[in-house]
Amino acid sequence: MKKWIWLMLLMLMAVAVVGSRGSTFLEQRPSPAIVERIPVKTRQPQAELKEVDSAPQVSTDRLLNHIQKLNFQRYTTKERSLTRTYITTELTKFGWKPKLEKFSEGVNIFAERPGTDKAAKAILVAAHYDTVALSPGADDNASGVAVVLEVARLLGSRSTPRTLQIAFFDQEEAGLLGSQAFVSKTARLQNLGGAIVMDMVGYACYTPGCQKYPAALPVIPPSNKGDFLAVVGDTEHLPLLNAFQSSQMLPSTALNKQESNLPAVLTVPIPFKGLLTPDTLRSDHAPFWYQGVGAVLVTDTANLRTPHYHQPSDVPATIERSFFTGSAQIVVNATTALLDKNKVLQTQPPS
């Protein structure tokens, strides 16, 4: 029995491969331009390269434009109000009707597009829009905001069985206050099947050793380069996490194009709602876990990879175009697949 317990503890330590939050996991050079460095070289099995016509392709230009427009500190009350104006204006352009949801410390933004099956539960795609003081937060978390806006543009008028919900959380950096306020409205959780939360999805590094991992990791890391996208989910909702394992399918219009080169995806299942791995509770997915709602955190691993975490140097110039575009496409692919199906997202016991 003692041997079994030690083996279980080692397995639980292994899931600490990714810490995420803080915003979350993760400084900056005053260059306004977004540049492309070494492109992601993703080694994908041949089966993962087949065409997927159902998922629309993201626009690199639109994604990067959002980050440029949000290239300012979003910390004070006025700055966060300006950010909300930008987000709601963009959503209105895409045909959405965003609502401002005030709570004691801030304001969340919420909108939804009903699905065709009233019995099907909704999928929420979300990101926080605030920053820490003195940081313009290009990666943390304008990158996540940009992906949610792209999801809203591409999937807002799409007819799917499930309802698509989008949210932009305020005051994540102050302690997940916006997402906590969001889940406090228990009535809305009754029809929520799962949440996809983006927090820092635009930074990659290709120098060996640039990717860090928790100490005493009892497994061989997938890479010593920061060239993969991490998806952290709770073991109680593995189908939600598994949707990202098949998310590297390429749209037929994107085959053989450099901009469609998707990064590898590392899925990290977390047991016991992160009780034994507190580093995995550092972002807006955690309040959903506490309410029994399946949620995944999509991240570039933040401070485990980028030197610009919570720094004035987290500027648009540090965003890696190819990785960022691929990360956004993976989120769109997974979201599309989840919306098009009405499968139970809770982990089912073995038959």
Side-chain angles (χ1 to χ4, degrees), residues 53-67:
D53 293 316
S54 59
Q57 189 177 4
V58 302
S59 165
T60 301
D61 290 342
R62 287 178 178 270
L63 288 165
L64 299 182
N65 184 63
H66 290 314
I67 289 183

PDB file of all heavy atoms in Angstrom, residues 53-67:
ATOM      1  N   ASP A  53     -12.672  20.846 -42.855  1.00  0.00           N
ATOM      2  CA  ASP A  53     -13.374  21.944 -43.504  1.00  0.00           C
ATOM      3  C   ASP A  53     -14.300  22.683 -42.549  1.00  0.00           C
ATOM      4  O   ASP A  53     -14.778  23.756 -42.859  1.00  0.00           O
ATOM      5  CB  ASP A  53     -14.179  21.420 -44.696  1.00  0.00           C
ATOM      6  CG  ASP A  53     -13.272  20.898 -45.807  1.00  0.00           C
ATOM      7  OD1 ASP A  53     -12.278  21.574 -46.110  1.00  0.00           O
ATOM      8  OD2 ASP A  53     -13.549  19.833 -46.357  1.00  0.00           O
ATOM      9  N   SER A  54     -14.591  22.096 -41.388  1.00  0.00           N
ATOM     10  CA  SER A  54     -15.607  22.675 -40.518  1.00  0.00           C
ATOM     11  C   SER A  54     -15.095  23.872 -39.722  1.00  0.00           C
ATOM     12  O   SER A  54     -15.877  24.704 -39.291  1.00  0.00           O
ATOM     13  CB  SER A  54     -16.129  21.604 -39.549  1.00  0.00           C
ATOM     14  OG  SER A  54     -15.071  21.088 -38.761  1.00  0.00           O
ATOM     15  N   ALA A  55     -13.782  23.954 -39.502  1.00  0.00           N
ATOM     16  CA  ALA A  55     -13.250  25.040 -38.685  1.00  0.00           C
ATOM     17  C   ALA A  55     -12.725  26.165 -39.567  1.00  0.00           C
ATOM     18  O   ALA A  55     -11.852  25.950 -40.393  1.00  0.00           O
ATOM     19  CB  ALA A  55     -12.135  24.517 -37.784  1.00  0.00           C
ATOM     20  N   PRO A  56     -13.243  27.374 -39.405  1.00  0.00           N
ATOM     21  CA  PRO A  56     -12.737  28.501 -40.205  1.00  0.00           C
ATOM     22  C   PRO A  56     -11.317  28.860 -39.797  1.00  0.00           C
ATOM     23  O   PRO A  56     -10.864  28.535 -38.694  1.00  0.00           O
ATOM     24  CB  PRO A  56     -13.715  29.629 -39.869  1.00  0.00           C
ATOM     25  CG  PRO A  56     -14.231  29.283 -38.518  1.00  0.00           C
ATOM     26  CD  PRO A  56     -14.293  27.781 -38.471  1.00  0.00           C
ATOM     27  N   GLN A  57     -10.607  29.536 -40.674  1.00  0.00           N
ATOM     28  CA  GLN A  57      -9.221  29.886 -40.412  1.00  0.00           C
ATOM     29  C   GLN A  57      -9.104  31.283 -39.835  1.00  0.00           C
ATOM     30  O   GLN A  57      -9.761  32.223 -40.283  1.00  0.00           O
ATOM     31  CB  GLN A  57      -8.399  29.806 -41.703  1.00  0.00           C
ATOM     32  CG  GLN A  57      -6.900  29.956 -41.475  1.00  0.00           C
ATOM     33  CD  GLN A  57      -6.108  29.808 -42.748  1.00  0.00           C
ATOM     34  OE1 GLN A  57      -6.677  29.671 -43.831  1.00  0.00           O
ATOM     35  NE2 GLN A  57      -4.791  29.847 -42.638  1.00  0.00           N
ATOM     36  N   VAL A  58      -8.238  31.425 -38.832  1.00  0.00           N
ATOM     37  CA  VAL A  58      -8.038  32.715 -38.184  1.00  0.00           C
ATOM     38  C   VAL A  58      -7.247  33.652 -39.092  1.00  0.00           C
ATOM     39  O   VAL A  58      -6.561  33.221 -40.014  1.00  0.00           O
ATOM     40  CB  VAL A  58      -7.299  32.554 -36.834  1.00  0.00           C
ATOM     41  CG1 VAL A  58      -8.075  31.638 -35.896  1.00  0.00           C
ATOM     42  CG2 VAL A  58      -5.879  32.037 -37.044  1.00  0.00           C
ATOM     43  N   SER A  59      -7.354  34.935 -38.805  1.00  0.00           N
ATOM     44  CA  SER A  59      -6.618  35.952 -39.547  1.00  0.00           C
ATOM     45  C   SER A  59      -5.468  36.472 -38.686  1.00  0.00           C
ATOM     46  O   SER A  59      -5.690  37.048 -37.615  1.00  0.00           O
ATOM     47  CB  SER A  59      -7.541  37.121 -39.914  1.00  0.00           C
ATOM     48  OG  SER A  59      -6.797  38.252 -40.329  1.00  0.00           O
ATOM     49  N   THR A  60      -4.247  36.266 -39.152  1.00  0.00           N
ATOM     50  CA  THR A  60      -3.084  36.773 -38.424  1.00  0.00           C
ATOM     51  C   THR A  60      -3.137  38.286 -38.282  1.00  0.00           C
ATOM     52  O   THR A  60      -2.863  38.837 -37.214  1.00  0.00           O
ATOM     53  CB  THR A  60      -1.787  36.368 -39.140  1.00  0.00           C
ATOM     54  OG1 THR A  60      -1.718  34.940 -39.242  1.00  0.00           O
ATOM     55  CG2 THR A  60      -0.564  36.867 -38.378  1.00  0.00           C
ATOM     56  N   ASP A  61      -3.510  38.968 -39.358  1.00  0.00           N
ATOM     57  CA  ASP A  61      -3.555  40.433 -39.328  1.00  0.00           C
ATOM     58  C   ASP A  61      -4.544  40.944 -38.285  1.00  0.00           C
ATOM     59  O   ASP A  61      -4.261  41.904 -37.559  1.00  0.00           O
ATOM     60  CB  ASP A  61      -3.927  40.983 -40.703  1.00  0.00           C
ATOM     61  CG  ASP A  61      -2.819  40.795 -41.723  1.00  0.00           C
ATOM     62  OD1 ASP A  61      -1.665  40.563 -41.308  1.00  0.00           O
ATOM     63  OD2 ASP A  61      -3.098  40.864 -42.939  1.00  0.00           O
ATOM     64  N   ARG A  62      -5.702  40.327 -38.208  1.00  0.00           N
ATOM     65  CA  ARG A  62      -6.699  40.752 -37.221  1.00  0.00           C
ATOM     66  C   ARG A  62      -6.207  40.501 -35.798  1.00  0.00           C
ATOM     67  O   ARG A  62      -6.377  41.336 -34.903  1.00  0.00           O
ATOM     68  CB  ARG A  62      -8.031  40.036 -37.460  1.00  0.00           C
ATOM     69  CG  ARG A  62      -8.789  40.530 -38.692  1.00  0.00           C
ATOM     70  CD  ARG A  62     -10.078  39.737 -38.877  1.00  0.00           C
ATOM     71  NE  ARG A  62     -10.860  40.206 -40.006  1.00  0.00           N
ATOM     72  CZ  ARG A  62     -11.788  41.153 -39.950  1.00  0.00           C
ATOM     73  NH1 ARG A  62     -12.044  41.731 -38.784  1.00  0.00           N
ATOM     74  NH2 ARG A  62     -12.457  41.520 -41.017  1.00  0.00           N
ATOM     75  N   LEU A  63      -5.621  39.347 -35.582  1.00  0.00           N
ATOM     76  CA  LEU A  63      -5.110  39.021 -34.252  1.00  0.00           C
ATOM     77  C   LEU A  63      -4.055  40.025 -33.796  1.00  0.00           C
ATOM     78  O   LEU A  63      -4.110  40.548 -32.673  1.00  0.00           O
ATOM     79  CB  LEU A  63      -4.512  37.611 -34.259  1.00  0.00           C
ATOM     80  CG  LEU A  63      -5.495  36.441 -34.341  1.00  0.00           C
ATOM     81  CD1 LEU A  63      -4.752  35.154 -34.702  1.00  0.00           C
ATOM     82  CD2 LEU A  63      -6.240  36.261 -33.024  1.00  0.00           C
ATOM     83  N   LEU A  64      -3.114  40.311 -34.671  1.00  0.00           N
ATOM     84  CA  LEU A  64      -2.040  41.233 -34.316  1.00  0.00           C
ATOM     85  C   LEU A  64      -2.544  42.666 -34.181  1.00  0.00           C
ATOM     86  O   LEU A  64      -2.025  43.440 -33.367  1.00  0.00           O
ATOM     87  CB  LEU A  64      -0.931  41.157 -35.359  1.00  0.00           C
ATOM     88  CG  LEU A  64      -0.252  39.789 -35.509  1.00  0.00           C
ATOM     89  CD1 LEU A  64       0.864  39.864 -36.537  1.00  0.00           C
ATOM     90  CD2 LEU A  64       0.280  39.288 -34.174  1.00  0.00           C
ATOM     91  N   ASN A  65      -3.552  43.024 -34.963  1.00  0.00           N
ATOM     92  CA  ASN A  65      -4.119  44.363 -34.853  1.00  0.00           C
ATOM     93  C   ASN A  65      -4.753  44.588 -33.488  1.00  0.00           C
ATOM     94  O   ASN A  65      -4.629  45.680 -32.902  1.00  0.00           O
ATOM     95  CB  ASN A  65      -5.159  44.585 -35.950  1.00  0.00           C
ATOM     96  CG  ASN A  65      -5.714  46.002 -35.932  1.00  0.00           C
ATOM     97  OD1 ASN A  65      -5.005  46.980 -36.143  1.00  0.00           O
ATOM     98  ND2 ASN A  65      -7.013  46.113 -35.664  1.00  0.00           N
ATOM     99  N   HIS A  66      -5.429  43.562 -32.971  1.00  0.00           N
ATOM    100  CA  HIS A  66      -6.014  43.686 -31.631  1.00  0.00           C
ATOM    101  C   HIS A  66      -4.924  43.966 -30.595  1.00  0.00           C
ATOM    102  O   HIS A  66      -5.098  44.809 -29.696  1.00  0.00           O
ATOM    103  CB  HIS A  66      -6.764  42.406 -31.254  1.00  0.00           C
ATOM    104  CG  HIS A  66      -8.024  42.183 -32.030  1.00  0.00           C
ATOM    105  ND1 HIS A  66      -8.953  43.173 -32.242  1.00  0.00           N
ATOM    106  CD2 HIS A  66      -8.508  41.048 -32.631  1.00  0.00           C
ATOM    107  CE1 HIS A  66      -9.960  42.681 -32.959  1.00  0.00           C
ATOM    108  NE2 HIS A  66      -9.713  41.414 -33.202  1.00  0.00           N
ATOM    109  N   ILE A  67      -3.816  43.259 -30.702  1.00  0.00           N
ATOM    110  CA  ILE A  67      -2.733  43.452 -29.736  1.00  0.00           C
ATOM    111  C   ILE A  67      -2.144  44.854 -29.851  1.00  0.00           C
ATOM    112  O   ILE A  67      -1.836  45.501 -28.842  1.00  0.00           O
ATOM    113  CB  ILE A  67      -1.652  42.370 -29.923  1.00  0.00           C
ATOM    114  CG1 ILE A  67      -2.198  41.012 -29.444  1.00  0.00           C
ATOM    115  CG2 ILE A  67      -0.383  42.716 -29.146  1.00  0.00           C
ATOM    116  CD1 ILE A  67      -1.201  39.889 -29.502  1.00  0.00           C
TER     117      ILE A  67
END
